[in-house]
Amino acid sequence: MKTIVKLKIADIIIEAKSKFGLQALTEEEERQRVAERFNNFFYNGNGKPDIRIKVEIVNKLPAISQTKHIFTTYHFQDGSENWRLLKKGSAYIYKSPLKEKKQVMLVNGSFDKVTAYLLPKKQKGKVWQINDIIYDFLQVLLINYFALHKKGIFVHSIGVKDLDGLGLLFAGKSGAGKSTTARIWHKHSKAMVLNDDRIIVRKLNGRFFIYGSPWHGEFSDYLESRIESAPLKKLFFIHHAPKNSVRVISQKWAFNLLYPALFPPFWDKGCLENTASFCQDLLKNVTCYNLGFVNNKRVIGFVRKI
């Protein structure tokens, strides 16, 4: 019996197909409300998949020799490896050594076809869960897919869909107040916080849009995923300040502030150029501001009057 699961993230349809069955979430995962992070991204339509993933459950992960090391990420607390990206010819290999989540993904050069090799679940046998794919592999795949095909960017930021239906994007370096901003808008406005950590920006029919994603930050009061999108109206680079203040900034200054908030595939020159070109187009068409703010709800009205 084939198992087919479809997701739709930022209008990209991802199909995961396997001859192996799906495992229900564990009690611990249910307590952690894991499913609520991505429930709204399940897709039941008839649209043609943009990305296809074939899921295989194997007793031993494939060993792939003569690869070129591209990139490795490490846990910020203990320094242990999270995942690594390798290349062989035109194909990519994603490997995760994490306990209970060891996996190898073989990805074609277009980042739209994947064979995912997973190990059997302890005491459950040869079954899989969709969150095996979503965290963290699918985010890495989409970052590369968007960059290669000039379809958009991931921004480490907060996205808000305000009452007028338009989008506000708040970006800033670590400690600038992104989580604080998310809490203020979530608690004191009727606007929708799309995400407090990962926002996808795309250009469709000449307009820029912000999209929610399944990858949340530390703000856990609204773990239910938000698939909604909004036309991007303003982009703010935020920081804490003694009083609320704002000024329009130049495209060049905005680029210098935006680039550190991206997730650029710097191992590929063409993808980097595509990312930089997308950002320049974005900043040329969306007004950017430097926003200093005080940690209280008055900043909402302040921003809405800009």
Side-chain angles (χ1 to χ4, degrees), residues 180 184 239-244 292-299:
T180 301
I184 290 173
H239 60 91
H240 292 286
K243 65 177 183 178
N244 294 327
F293 76 100
V294 179
N295 182 7
N296 61 52
K297 64 182 181 181
R298 288 192 293 273
V299 69

Side-chain angles (χ1 to χ4, degrees), residues 141-168:
L141 182 73
L142 284 175
I143 287 170
N144 285 275
Y145 176 83
F146 282 135
L148 179 66
H149 298 282
K150 305 178 183 179
K151 288 184 177 290
I153 54 174
F154 275 67
V155 184
H156 185 43
S157 59
I158 301 148
V160 174
K161 184 175 183 178
D162 209 353
L163 301 181
D164 58 4
L166 299 178
L168 306 173

Side-chain angles (χ1 to χ4, degrees), residues 87-93 106-114 141 144-145 147-149 267-268 271:
K87 191 172 185 181
K88 185 171 185 177
S90 63
Y92 290 85
I93 301 99
L106 303 186
V107 186
N108 71 343
S110 299
F111 294 98
D112 58 5
K113 288 185 175 61
V114 179
L141 182 73
N144 285 275
Y145 176 83
L148 179 66
H149 298 282
W267 48 82
D268 186 287
C271 288

Side-chain angles (χ1 to χ4, degrees), residues 33 158-160 179-194 196 219-224 226 300:
R33 300 166 67 191
I158 301 148
V160 174
S179 296
T180 301
T181 298
R183 288 185 173 91
I184 290 173
W185 282 83
H186 178 67
K187 185 177 181 180
H188 299 291
S189 80
K190 294 182 179 180
M192 178 187 294
V193 179
L194 298 177
D196 70 330
F219 182 33
S220 60
D221 291 353
Y222 63 96
L223 281 178
E224 181 181 354
R226 296 293 189 184
I300 297 172

Side-chain angles (χ1 to χ4, degrees), residues 30-46:
E30 291 286 1
R31 283 196 296 272
Q32 293 177 357
R33 300 166 67 191
V34 169
E36 293 183 25
R37 301 177 192 173
F38 54 80
N39 265 348
N40 288 339
F41 294 90
F42 286 115
Y43 174 69
N44 297 315
N46 297 318

Side-chain angles (χ1 to χ4, degrees), residues 24-256:
L25 293 177
T26 65
E27 290 183 5
E28 176 64 22
E29 288 168 330
E30 291 286 1
R31 283 196 296 272
Q32 293 177 357
R33 300 166 67 191
V34 169
E36 293 183 25
R37 301 177 192 173
F38 54 80
N39 265 348
N40 288 339
F41 294 90
F42 286 115
Y43 174 69
N44 297 315
N46 297 318
K48 181 181 178 182
D50 300 284
I51 297 172
R52 299 178 187 271
I53 302 173
K54 181 182 179 183
V55 179
E56 298 281 1
I57 311 296
V58 295
N59 293 321
K60 184 179 180 180
L61 295 176
I64 303 166
S65 60
Q66 297 180 328
T67 60
K68 178 183 178 182
H69 177 262
I70 301 295
F71 187 68
T72 300
T73 66
Y74 300 93
H75 195 277
F76 71 97
Q77 290 180 322
D78 60 14
S80 60
E81 182 179 326
N82 283 330
W83 55 265
R84 66 175 54 194
L85 192 65
L86 309 167
K87 191 172 185 181
K88 185 171 185 177
S90 63
Y92 290 85
I93 301 99
Y94 169 98
K95 296 179 70 174
S96 171
L98 296 177
K99 186 179 179 182
E100 307 296 336
K101 201 172 183 179
K102 292 182 180 179
Q103 53 187 221
V104 171
M105 313 295 198
L106 303 186
V107 186
N108 71 343
S110 299
F111 294 98
D112 58 5
K113 288 185 175 61
V114 179
T115 302
Y117 293 97
L118 312 178
L119 294 173
K121 302 286 186 183
K122 285 186 177 180
Q123 301 178 336
K124 297 292 183 178
K126 292 190 173 184
V127 293
W128 60 289
Q129 296 177 329
I130 190 60
N131 52 312
D132 293 331
I133 305 296
I134 293 177
Y135 307 107
D136 290 311
F137 168 70
L138 188 55
Q139 181 178 194
V140 178
L141 182 73
L142 284 175
I143 287 170
N144 285 275
Y145 176 83
F146 282 135
L148 179 66
H149 298 282
K150 305 178 183 179
K151 288 184 177 290
I153 54 174
F154 275 67
V155 184
H156 185 43
S157 59
I158 301 148
V160 174
K161 184 175 183 178
D162 209 353
L163 301 181
D164 58 4
L166 299 178
L168 306 173
L169 195 62
F170 300 90
K173 61 183 181 180
S174 179
K178 292 187 293 297
S179 296
T180 301
T181 298
R183 288 185 173 91
I184 290 173
W185 282 83
H186 178 67
K187 185 177 181 180
H188 299 291
S189 80
K190 294 182 179 180
M192 178 187 294
V193 179
L194 298 177
N195 194 284
D196 70 330
D197 196 57
R198 302 288 196 277
I199 289 293
I200 298 170
V201 183
R202 298 195 61 195
K203 186 178 184 181
L204 300 171
N205 300 319
R207 299 185 72 185
F208 288 92
F209 289 80
I210 58 172
Y211 292 80
S213 77
W215 301 284
H216 283 288
E218 63 184 51
F219 182 33
S220 60
D221 291 353
Y222 63 96
L223 281 178
E224 181 181 354
S225 57
R226 296 293 189 184
I227 194 173
E228 289 84 357
S229 62
L232 180 56
K233 183 180 181 181
K234 294 182 176 72
L235 171 54
F236 297 94
F237 295 98
I238 61 174
H239 60 91
H240 292 286
K243 65 177 183 178
N244 294 327
S245 61
V246 68
R247 59 172 165 166
V248 177
I249 60 176
S250 68
Q251 182 180 337
K252 181 178 179 180
W253 186 5
F255 185 88
N256 291 336

